[in-house]
Amino acid sequence: MQLSLVNALLRPRAHLGLRASRAFSTAPVNFSRRTVPKSCLASEVTSSPLYNSWLYRRCYSVVAQRKPAVPHSLKPQFFSANAFHGAAQASQLPVLAPPAVGRWLLFSSAMVFAVIVVGGVTRLTESGLSITEWKPITGIIPPMNAEDWSVEFEKYKATPEFKLLNHSITLDEFKNIFYMEWGHRVLGRLIGITFVVPLAYFGLRKKLTTSMPIQLTGMALLLGFQGFLGWYMVKSGLEDSIMDMPGAVPRVSQYRLAAHLGTAVVLYAGMLGTGLAAIKDWRYARGGSWSGFSTMNWQNVLSNPVVKRFSRLSKGLSALVFLTALSGAFVAGLDAGLLYNEFPLMGGRLAPPMDELFSSAYAKNADGSDIWWRNIFENPITVQFDHRVLAMTTYLIGDPAVRALLPPFASRSVTAAFAMANVQVLLGLATLLYLVPVPIAAAHQAGSIALLSTMVHLLVSLRRPGLAAQAWRKAGMQTKGLWPVRHITHT
């Protein structure tokens, strides 16, 4: 009864024409209860002509509009995750990190950039010594009531900074510097969570290329070490021995400050470079252009002697930008920006006198054998002079004349780097001439990281595609136009 009723209902009407009749009358069709409404399989149907007409149209519409099922193996799977045209071929290709990995790394680098800027403001506002303990877990909760604030304030009163500099500070003023340091620490913890958790996820899901697990695990360990290094730096400014030094200013060790900043900059550059490379490799593997070149082969570009020389120069210049930023940490740690607030001269001369640059007062060995390196790292005058020399060398060493031979993306990076170098020079001069105002000095520190960012992008634009991206692109070009054809047979 059910089958005869269905066949009668599904017979095409005359006005649908011969095409519809052939489509449904020449081949028997099997239906399941999931594809046909229950009303079409009912054992009893009312004899009303109106009902029959409505039921006929409904059942015919279901069958006429339903698309035939396609076996999963015949569906194109180009870059759904790490699949290509088929599971057999994809299993022979190396793992290629999806864009989500690159975006996560870029987000992580942006957070590190933010924590570097916040750290700079924390030091400029002299807030870094307001929290006298390091509690990695419970320290995330600030004082919640008046009693908690009183306890923290009493701890701060025992520090050399309070006794020598801030002995008249009020509780409300203490809260301001406390929250500055607390925000810096909480942001650092947040970076650790947002980096380690996605790293574990992508690692377990096998979304990382062969070299990524070691690189990213090293970054995760460096993040943990950075937290310890930050406390090690703060601890140097809380030691009571500062009180015994005549004319001493309570501040953190410039060595530990430079190590703390340098580690953060290395983390930032690593995350940014790895994230950009992952995204560019994905686009290249999908048939996109290399560094903006749609016609020229990357082998031909990178084999050009001029480009090879420029690539080596770019790496050296990037290292010089990093070294200049690191010397800025020594300038900040020694308050060297408050000396010789003029440019380009220093006391009416291009360089201070030698007895000022290499003063015997900084030597601690009896024979004076340490006079050179101690003045370079501990004499504020020498530290500022070194920073000036490094900054001007970085600015003048660039060679924008070779941009015509570079890939489009690399050429844009050169333009951006040169523009950012000009901005950074202006910010440095303003910081020096206006006696280190907090907003300009913080912008100057942020500018150094922005300049390094342009150099990292330049280096990524001049790198060859990863091996995984090359393999996927080669496989895609070999199978281009050979997509499986969908054939559905009626049985």
Side-chain angles (χ1 to χ4, degrees), residues 186-389:
V186 170
L187 184 57
R189 291 178 174 90
L190 186 61
I191 292 173
I193 295 174
T194 57
F195 186 82
V196 173
V197 174
L199 173 59
Y201 170 80
F202 288 126
L204 293 175
R205 294 295 302 272
K206 300 186 184 303
K207 300 291 186 180
L208 304 177
T209 58
T210 306
S211 61
M212 275 188 174
I214 297 178
Q215 295 176 356
L216 300 182
T217 302
M219 293 181 193
L221 295 176
L222 200 58
L223 272 174
F225 176 73
Q226 178 73 335
F228 167 77
L229 190 58
W231 167 246
Y232 182 65
M233 176 193 68
V234 171
K235 189 178 179 181
S236 66
L238 300 174
E239 296 175 353
D240 292 332
S241 59
I242 298 176
M243 302 289 295
D244 301 330
M245 300 174 59
V249 177
R251 56 191 174 205
V252 299
S253 167
Q254 71 272 21
Y255 296 103
R256 302 183 190 184
L257 175 62
H260 189 50
L261 175 64
T263 304
V265 174
V266 169
L267 276 170
Y268 171 77
M271 293 176 181
L272 178 65
T274 307
L276 290 174
I279 292 178
K280 290 180 181 294
D281 279 354
W282 176 269
R283 292 175 180 172
Y284 178 78
R286 295 188 66 180
S289 62
W290 172 79
S291 196
F293 265 145
S294 57
T295 57
M296 188 174 295
N297 196 317
W298 62 266
Q299 289 95 335
N300 297 334
V301 177
L302 297 183
S303 61
N304 189 316
V306 177
V307 176
K308 292 173 68 174
R309 182 178 63 84
F310 180 80
S311 180
R312 291 192 297 267
L313 177 65
S314 300
K315 293 176 182 178
L317 189 58
S318 300
L320 191 58
V321 170
F322 173 77
L323 185 61
T324 304
L326 209 59
S327 71
F330 284 90
V331 173
L334 294 172
D335 291 329
L338 300 176
L339 303 173
Y340 287 111
N341 299 105
E342 55 183 335
F343 188 86
L345 304 179
M346 297 181 71
R349 306 171 56 171
L350 289 177
M354 287 298 294
D355 59 345
E356 289 187 13
L357 287 176
F358 297 98
S359 173
S360 59
Y362 292 92
K364 294 184 178 181
N365 295 340
D367 58 354
S369 59
D370 57 345
I371 187 174
W372 289 92
W373 71 267
R374 285 197 180 275
N375 275 275
I376 290 174
F377 295 110
E378 297 179 4
N379 185 347
I381 297 176
T382 310
V383 166
Q384 188 195 119
F385 178 75
D386 293 343
H387 187 63
R388 290 187 182 208
V389 172

Side-chain angles (χ1 to χ4, degrees), residues 36 74 100 128 145 178 222 290 305 309 357-358 377 436 449 490:
V36 180
L74 295 179
N145 50 50
F178 181 94
L222 200 58
W290 172 79
R309 182 178 63 84
L357 287 176
F358 297 98
F377 295 110
V436 196
I449 307 303
H490 298 278

